[in-house]
Structures are given as structure tokens and as C-alpha cells.
């Protein structure tokens, strides 16, 4: 009996690791897709790669690549250990310093044992602001890899289509990534506490979600109304 339990535990850990990798990869491609679709960087700074059965665009800019790599390196560790509750991409006007767009990805972990405190962190330092994590949730019925990929495809198609309703971004913009991680997470020294960088008087649009056997990711965009 003991051997069977150990095997089951190994299978669960492998499933969690695979699910965490799926979610982390989704975040990485989401960041690149948002930067391209919203024109934060010139189109010529991106190259096409095949992913999820789609032509995805990823940045060739060395600074952007290094920044995303630093985020993803830490995010992968936190994901495997069930420490993440949200990832947020904030687009900010360089001219005014105002946050004009905020893409939020809420992460729900199935069969999470208890509630946990979360804190928002970014690579730049801001004021701290804690947030409550989600409690346990039942897992969805088993899905095939194709079904998960189709759900992810639908989200990327929505992100691409969002240019039809999102206001044109005026002037030069920059971006920041916030990660909501449990308060007991090991945090690298270059990561600092951050405020939520909310959009003042913004509109919110809920987009599609996708789920694996271990995680569910909901997507939402907030944006500043045109003057």
C-alpha cells in the first residue's frame, strides 16, 4: 500500500509541475502579445513563433527580453510551489506617469489547503499593499491537452481582438509586471513591494479563462476611458 501511495504522490507532483509550466508559459506569451498588440514597442521589434497552433509574436528587444526572463525565472519557482494568485501587466504613459491599461490574470489553485496572505510585487519598489488569497476549490473534470490549448487559443484571439474596443494609446508608453505572491514566499532582493497600479475611473472587461487539472486562470483588462 505504501508504494502505491508514493506513486500517486509522484503523479500528482508531476501533474502540478506540468500545469504550473503551462500557466507560466501562458503568462510569458501573454506579456509579449499585449506589448505587441498595444503598440508599446514597434512591430519590427517582434518575431513570429509558432505556439498553441497560432503565430505568436515575441520581443527581440534585449532589455525587454532580459526583464521578462527575470520575471519568468522567479515566476516558475513560485508557480510550482503554489505561491501565485495573480499576475498583472500595467501599461503606463511615459509623458504623464498615468496608468492607462491593466491586464489582470487571476490564478486559482485547485485543492489549495487553506487561505494565504498575498503581497503585490514588482521589479521596481513601491509602497506595500497586502491582498487576500483564494481558498480551496474543487478541480474541473479532466481535460485533454487539445482542450486546454483551444481555451488558451480563445484568450489570445480575444487579446488580439481587444484593439477594436480599447482606446488608442497616446504617446510613448512603458510597462510593468506585478506578481501577487504569498507573503511567505522567498523574494529576490531586486523584487520590491508595489501598489496595485489600478486604473483611475477605468472600464473593465472580463475575457475568457482556461483551466488545467490544477489551475484556473481568469483574464480581465481595465482601461482608461478616452478624454
Amino acid at each position: 500500500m505504501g508504494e502505491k501511495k508514493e506513486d500517486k504522490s509522484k503523479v500528482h507532483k508531476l501533474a502540478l509541475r506540468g500545469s504550473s509550466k503551462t500557466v507560466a508559459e501562458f503568462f510569458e506569451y501573454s506579456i509579449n502579445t499585449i506589448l505587441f498588440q498595444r503598440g508599446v514597442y514597434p512591430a519590427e521589434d517582434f518575431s513570429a513563433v509558432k505556439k498553441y497552433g497560432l503565430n505568436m509574436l515575441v520581443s527581440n528587444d534585449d532589455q525587454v527580453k532580459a526583464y521578462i526572463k527575470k520575471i519568468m525565472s522567479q515566476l516558475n519557482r513560485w508557480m510550482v510551489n503554489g505561491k501565485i494568485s495573480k499576475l498583472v501587466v500595467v501599461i503606463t504613459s511615459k509623458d504623464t506617469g498615468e496608468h492607462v491599461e491593466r491586464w489582470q490574470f487571476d490564478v486559482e489553485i485547485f485543492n489549495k489547503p487553506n487561505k494565504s496572505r498575498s503581497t503585490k510585487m514588482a521589479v521596481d519598489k513601491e509602497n506595500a499593499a497586502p491582498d487576500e488569497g483564494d481558498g480551496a476549490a474543487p478541480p474541473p473534470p479532466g481535460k485533454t491537452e487539445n482542450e486546454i490549448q483551444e481555451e488558451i487559443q480563445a484568450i489570445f484571439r480575444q487579446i488580439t481582438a481587444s484593439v477594436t474596443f480599447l482606446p488608442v494609446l497616446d504617446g510613448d508608453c512603458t510597462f510593468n509586471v506585478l506578481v501577487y505572491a504569498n507573503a511567505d514566499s522567498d523574494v529576490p532582493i531586486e523584487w520590491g513591494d508595489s501598489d496595485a497600479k489600478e486604473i483611475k475611473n477605468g472600464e473593465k472587461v472580463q475575457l475568457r479563462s482556461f483551466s488545467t487539472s490544477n489551475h484556473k486562470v481568469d483574464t480581465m483588462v481595465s482601461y482608461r476611458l478616452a478624454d
Side-chain angles (χ1 to χ4, degrees):
M1 291 295 290
E3 192 175 333
K4 284 185 179 178
K5 283 183 181 177
E6 185 182 357
D7 288 345
K8 188 175 180 181
S9 174
K10 284 180 180 178
V11 169
H12 175 71
K13 284 178 181 176
L14 285 170
L16 179 60
R17 188 171 290 275
S19 178
S20 298
K21 182 183 178 184
T22 297
V23 175
E25 281 185 341
F26 168 77
F27 285 153
E28 183 173 1
Y29 283 99
S30 293
I31 295 168
N32 278 284
T33 300
I34 290 165
L35 296 180
F36 175 79
Q37 294 295 340
R38 303 307 292 135
V40 178
Y41 295 94
E44 57 267 25
D45 286 0
F46 293 81
S47 294
V49 296
K50 199 77 174 178
K51 186 71 176 176
Y52 309 120
L54 300 170
N55 286 322
M56 309 295 292
L57 288 142
V58 296
S59 176
N60 292 323
D61 184 280
D62 288 338
Q63 284 187 322
V64 174
K65 283 164 63 177
Y67 179 73
I68 293 176
K69 183 179 179 181
K70 184 186 291 185
I71 291 164
M72 296 312 303
S73 174
Q74 188 58 46
L75 190 71
N76 279 313
R77 296 190 194 101
W78 283 332
M79 280 297 309
V80 169
N81 292 308
K83 301 289 188 181
I84 301 294
S85 61
K86 295 181 203 290
L87 181 132
V88 177
V89 180
V90 182
I91 300 176
T92 305
S93 167
K94 283 185 178 180
D95 297 330
T96 65
E98 188 178 3
H99 307 312
V100 294
E101 221 166 86
R102 188 178 188 274
W103 294 79
Q104 179 171 306
F105 302 91
D106 293 312
V107 182
E108 188 176 358
I109 304 172
F110 301 123
N111 296 323
K112 196 171 180 180
N114 51 39
K115 280 195 169 186
S116 58
R117 296 286 291 176
S118 298
T119 185
K120 310 171 189 73
M121 288 176 290
V123 180
D124 63 329
K125 294 196 174 189
E126 299 284 351
N127 297 322
D131 183 68
E132 285 287 351
D134 291 333
K143 282 183 180 172
T144 65
E145 288 295 321
N146 281 344
E147 287 172 329
I148 295 169
Q149 179 167 292
E150 285 172 4
E151 289 184 354
I152 292 174
Q153 283 177 348
I155 296 172
F156 281 113
R157 288 193 176 103
Q158 276 195 314
I159 293 174
T160 300
S162 68
V163 296
T164 60
F165 66 83
L166 291 172
V168 175
L169 298 178
D170 294 327
D172 289 336
C173 290
T174 186
F175 80 104
N176 226 295
V177 176
L178 311 181
V179 176
Y180 288 54
N182 292 3
D184 64 352
S185 304
D186 292 327
V187 182
I189 194 166
E190 66 267 24
W191 285 74
D193 288 323
S194 172
D195 64 18
K197 302 186 186 297
E198 297 281 2
I199 307 295
K200 292 179 181 176
N201 303 317
E203 288 288 313
K204 293 183 179 181
V205 176
Q206 188 74 43
L207 303 181
R208 290 179 179 270
S209 63
F210 83 91
S211 62
T212 67
S213 58
N214 292 96
H215 298 91
K216 181 183 179 187
V217 180
D218 291 306
T219 309
M220 182 176 70
V221 61
S222 307
Y223 57 95
R224 189 189 64 183
L225 290 170
D227 297 329

